[in-house]
Amino acid sequence: DSYRLYALDKETQKVYSLHETPQYYSGQELLVFDTQNDKVERGRIYSKEQPDATGFETFYVQRDTLYTLNSNFVWAKYVPKRVKDSLFYQQIARAEVAPVANKSYRKASYQDIEYEIVQTYTTAECMYFLVQKIDTKEFQVMTLDTKTGKIEGKIPLNPLLDNPKKLEHHTQDIATGATDNFVFQLKTEKGVYFLKCNATKLLEKILLGKKFEWGTTYLSWGKKQYYGDMDANDTFDFYSIASPSQKHSVSSPDDIYDTRIMEQDEDAIVAFYEYYDGFFSGLKMQRLDKDTQALKGESILLYQYFPVEEMSSENSLSTLKAFKINGQWHVFFTKEDEYFWVKVK
């Protein structure tokens, strides 16, 4: 069950975990973790009357109201209604936001949609998404007003990269709250570019190198920005955003496994990762200095278990996410059919 999206409602301090395709997954479509009252509520959002409430790409929550974007290019707004002992999120507004003006993909089948959303990032103001025309090398960034669904901007990217012969998306993540802008990577025949834009224009374009590590996380504090990653060689790796990019590695005292994320707080990089010490497995957290990238203190054990069988994707941790709320980290993950919520100072 690794197909979940997370969002933090900063006003109510609730964390929302939304299944990407509730149409095919009823029961835990939506989980609401109330961090102030230590409560978990279940919600439903998909129904035959609300066909837009599936295929989610990104969402934002403010004061219990959900703002979503799905793969059929429909933005929608939902509010909770109490039904018996659970919540049902009712759609109260929607907007069609297909890349081509006056075209609707709302009821289109998967095969008939000519565009694919390859990366998203949502802030209180902007819902950014990187769109590829399927089976072509044509890319653009689209930006919506998060709360109204109004299209704020479209930036065709090919001309900004001198119409390259080859253009493909290069996967990366963005640490929660690292930027109000949109950052992403695209690869051309020259190499991998770092790109940063706002709703209407490209702000930065840097050729990182002929090759660049896949799946790194963008971290940023004001003018300071770089990519972070964790390696199977048990190192924390950092890559400068420069041409060419330079790598700096820091050894971890732990044996780092597959499931891992990097987040940030005011003065540190905060890494969460699955570990195995030959006996126990589980989850740890390590802080690193944002300036020197050196380890800050020991790693902290968040969860451990004794693996009875060999570790595999079926029994290891997944859907890992962490939010810092009121000075405390709240960490969420699943293992097989159980959901975990760990709090750490």
Side-chain angles (χ1 to χ4, degrees):
D1 177 31
S2 56
Y3 304 104
R4 299 194 79 93
L5 303 171
Y6 285 94
L8 167 63
D9 184 339
K10 288 186 180 140
E11 306 210 9
T12 64
Q13 297 179 346
K14 292 175 187 168
V15 172
Y16 286 70
S17 165
L18 174 65
H19 198 277
E20 284 179 5
T21 51
Q23 179 182 0
Y24 307 112
Y25 186 86
S26 63
Q28 300 194 353
E29 297 177 20
L30 187 58
L31 293 171
V32 184
F33 298 93
D34 182 345
T35 64
Q36 295 311 287
N37 302 302
D38 283 347
K39 281 202 327 235
V40 187
E41 282 219 81
R42 287 165 194 266
R44 290 185 314 107
I45 191 164
Y46 178 79
S47 72
K48 286 204 165 56
E49 293 71 49
Q50 288 189 175
D52 307 319
T54 195
F56 293 118
E57 296 282 348
T58 185
F59 77 118
Y60 187 79
V61 191
Q62 189 173 21
R63 284 196 287 277
D64 299 322
T65 302
L66 270 65
Y67 303 90
T68 66
L69 173 68
N70 74 10
S71 53
N72 287 55
F73 295 93
V74 177
W75 169 94
K77 177 177 178 178
Y78 298 88
V79 291
K81 293 234 176 309
R82 176 77 54 194
V83 179
K84 298 191 185 113
D85 57 349
S86 72
L87 295 170
F88 178 73
Y89 284 78
Q90 187 167 15
Q91 188 184 91
I92 57 165
R94 73 163 184 263
E96 303 216 25
V97 294
V100 186
N102 305 320
K103 180 136 188 154
S104 169
Y105 288 126
R106 182 169 178 248
K107 294 186 170 156
S109 70
Y110 175 69
Q111 298 83 349
D112 298 332
I113 302 176
E114 298 159 281
Y115 293 86
E116 182 181 15
I117 296 171
V118 294
Q119 189 186 319
T120 62
Y121 182 68
T122 297
T123 68
E125 283 75 42
C126 295
M127 206 173 254
Y128 298 103
F129 47 111
L130 178 61
V131 179
Q132 179 179 11
K133 189 169 187 185
I134 292 172
D135 296 331
T136 74
K137 51 176 201 226
E138 186 187 303
F139 285 85
Q140 61 178 314
V141 171
M142 290 184 63
T143 306
L144 309 181
D145 179 312
T146 300
K147 314 246 173 60
T148 66
K150 177 175 173 285
I151 297 173
E152 294 287 344
K154 287 185 187 182
I155 307 173
L157 295 167
N158 299 59
L160 298 173
L161 293 162
D162 310 319
N163 296 308
K165 292 199 237 342
K166 174 179 127 175
L167 190 61
E168 54 196 53
H169 179 232
H170 198 262
T171 298
Q172 53 123 76
D173 293 309
I174 302 173
T176 305
T179 176
D180 288 330
N181 297 312
F182 186 41
V183 297
F184 54 99
Q185 295 168 15
L186 290 175
K187 186 177 183 179
T188 74
E189 60 273 15
K190 289 186 184 152
V192 178
Y193 283 90
F194 163 80
L195 299 154
K196 181 195 280 187
C197 66
N198 61 19
T200 53
K201 62 175 189 292
L202 188 67
L203 304 173
E204 280 182 63
K205 176 177 88 169
I206 296 166
L207 180 60
L208 298 169
K210 194 81 187 142
K211 291 199 172 85
F212 191 74
E213 190 62 38
W214 187 262
T216 55
T217 299
Y218 176 79
L219 303 157
S220 151
W221 296 262
K223 292 260 182 285
K224 180 187 293 295
Q225 57 176 11
Y226 48 80
Y227 280 101
D229 193 28
M230 283 168 262
D231 196 294
N233 298 335
D234 307 324
T235 55
F236 299 102
D237 299 331
F238 299 98
Y239 301 87
S240 65
I241 296 173
S243 196
S245 173
Q246 306 282 326
K247 178 179 176 181
H248 172 227
S249 293
V250 180
S251 287
S252 163
D254 297 310
D255 205 348
I256 297 175
Y257 266 64
D258 294 351
T259 302
R260 50 201 190 217
I261 56 169
M262 264 189 185
E263 295 292 350
Q264 59 176 73
D265 62 17
E266 303 76 39
D267 59 347
I269 302 144
V270 190
F272 298 88
Y273 51 88
E274 192 174 15
Y275 79 95
Y276 179 58
D277 64 11
F279 197 64
F280 286 109
S281 187
L283 185 70
K284 289 194 176 187
M285 163 178 162
Q286 174 72 62
R287 289 166 58 83
L288 298 97
D289 187 282
K290 76 176 197 314
D291 299 314
T292 65
Q293 296 156 356
L295 302 180
K296 288 182 82 161
E298 306 265 304
S299 62
I300 299 167
L301 179 66
L302 303 184
Y303 168 70
Q304 76 173 9
Y305 68 97
F306 180 68
V308 255
E309 61 228 18
E310 200 170 321
M311 283 173 76
S312 71
S313 57
E314 272 76 60
N315 62 21
S316 64
L317 312 182
S318 65
T319 60
L320 175 60
K321 186 67 187 165
F323 292 98
K324 194 173 190 183
I325 304 165
N326 286 342
Q328 192 176 41
W329 282 97
H330 292 259
V331 188
F332 303 90
F333 60 92
T334 54
K335 182 183 181 304
E336 292 170 76
D337 55 1
E338 290 186 291
Y339 221 114
F340 292 84
W341 170 11
V342 180
K343 289 180 265 186
V344 56
K345 272 279 183 276

